[in-house]
């Protein structure tokens, strides 16, 4: 899903701000229209959740073997791929918004970028975060609305907040090299993170899914983040890109002749 969204946005990257804004608006409208309609049809949304194979997969993740999980995902292949297709307009809109924010200097120093980040925080975490309290409401569609309609807004708020925090750390000389290194090997770090979490939590590994409380789970995830930062820095001392990034780059060069 991400690759397809990136490919679509990449086709428009050289066509200026108007083209990117068009992708943002069209993607957002399609996403809100589709998921707003689904949220309005509460019985349909509830039925889909009730009949979904998610419960079976969760049980397999907790106690099943690796090949059993692969077989189960293959058996329900289209179910587990449908969400990636349904949120494609949203991903296109968010990718385009990210490109526009980057071009606007949202992650640079200065009063203008700082105002833009504060606006993202106010709208994303203020408006979106408050509205996300719907997930705790008795409405059947509350969690659905929070996940698919409000979460993207909250994500923009986190983007503004984290951008300001990282810039503040950099100005004070705090440790940010690891964060920057992960950004340079993002695809490789993403895949390795999934592998490590699978080994730690799934039944074919250490089987800790459902065994840890929230503080311990957060501690494990923070430990993985630190490990990824250390590994990324060590790798980049010898190579210009991450391992998967290098492979992709070489494949693209070979395909281009």
């Amino acid at each position: 899903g991400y690759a397809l969204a990136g490919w679509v946005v990449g086709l428009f990257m050289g066509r200026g701000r108007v083209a990117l804004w068009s992708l943002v608006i069209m993607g957002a409208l399609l996403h809100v229209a589709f998921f707003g309609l689904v949220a309005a049809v509460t019985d349909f949304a509830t039925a889909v959740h009730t009949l979904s194979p998610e419960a079976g997969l969760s049980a397999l993740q907790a106690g099943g073997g690796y090949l059993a999980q692969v077989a189960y995902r293959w058996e329900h292949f289209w179910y587990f791929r449908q969400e990636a297709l349904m949120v494609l307009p949203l991903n296109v809109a968010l990718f385009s918004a990210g490109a526009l924010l980057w071009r606007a200097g949202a992650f640079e120093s200065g009063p203008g970028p700082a105002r833009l980040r504060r606006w993202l925080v106010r709208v994303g975490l203020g408006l979106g975060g408050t509205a996300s309290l719907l997930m705790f409401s008795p409405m059947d569609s509350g969690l659905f609305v929070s996940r698919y309609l409000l979460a993207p807004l909250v994500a923009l708020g986190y983007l503004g907040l984290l951008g300001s925090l990282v810039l503040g750390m950099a100005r004070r000389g705090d440790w940010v090299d690891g964060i920057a290194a992960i950004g340079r090997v993002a695809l490789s770090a993403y895949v390795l993170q999934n592998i490590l979490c699978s080994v730690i939590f799934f039944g074919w590994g250490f089987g800790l899914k459902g065994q840890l409380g929230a503080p311990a789970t957060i501690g494990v995830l923070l430990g993985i983040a630190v490990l990824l930062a250390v590994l990324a820095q060590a790798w980049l001392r010898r190579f210009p890109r991450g391992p998967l990034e290098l492979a992709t780059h070489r494949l693209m060069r070979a395909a281009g002749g």
Side-chain angles (χ1 to χ4, degrees), residues 203-219:
W204 53 267
F206 294 107
L208 294 182
K209 181 176 181 179
Q211 305 300 314
L212 303 177
T217 301
I218 293 172

Side-chain angles (χ1 to χ4, degrees), residues 1-28:
Y2 295 142
L4 183 56
W7 176 74
V8 171
V9 175
L11 296 176
F12 291 83
M13 284 293 289
R15 302 188 182 184
R17 295 175 67 251
V18 174
L20 290 174
W21 269 112
S22 299
L23 288 180
V24 171
I25 294 170
M26 287 189 295

Side-chain angles (χ1 to χ4, degrees), residues 102-190:
W102 180 267
R103 291 182 177 183
F107 310 108
E108 298 175 0
S109 301
R115 282 194 299 271
L116 180 54
R117 291 193 298 274
R118 286 195 296 270
W119 181 85
L120 287 173
V121 171
R122 284 196 295 269
V123 173
L125 298 184
L127 178 61
T130 302
S132 292
L133 294 175
L134 279 172
M135 67 183 296
F136 300 108
S137 75
M139 295 189 308
D140 291 335
S141 59
L143 182 59
F144 188 88
V145 171
S146 177
R147 173 178 171 82
Y148 290 108
L149 297 180
L150 297 175
L153 196 59
V154 176
L156 291 175
Y158 281 127
L159 184 63
L161 178 62
L162 291 174
S164 295
L165 288 175
V166 170
L167 283 171
M169 292 167 64
R171 283 195 296 269
R172 294 194 304 270
D174 293 340
W175 183 74
V176 293
D177 290 342
I179 298 174
I182 291 177
R184 290 175 59 191
V185 298
L187 178 60
S188 301
Y190 174 73

Side-chain angles (χ1 to χ4, degrees), residues 37-123:
L37 177 63
V38 174
V41 187
T42 307
D43 291 339
F44 172 76
T46 303
V48 169
H49 178 72
T50 303
L51 299 174
S52 76
E54 292 282 359
L57 179 62
S58 181
L60 275 176
Q61 289 173 342
Y66 176 77
L67 293 179
Q69 289 187 38
V70 172
Y72 192 83
R73 284 185 174 276
W74 179 255
E75 180 184 354
H76 301 282
F77 178 82
W78 288 113
Y79 172 82
F80 290 112
R81 298 279 71 80
Q82 66 181 352
E83 186 180 46
L85 295 176
M86 289 190 296
V87 299
L88 179 60
L90 171 65
N91 286 335
V92 169
L94 290 176
F95 279 37
S96 303
L100 287 167
L101 287 170
W102 180 267
R103 291 182 177 183
F107 310 108
E108 298 175 0
S109 301
R115 282 194 299 271
L116 180 54
R117 291 193 298 274
R118 286 195 296 270
W119 181 85
L120 287 173
V121 171
R122 284 196 295 269
V123 173

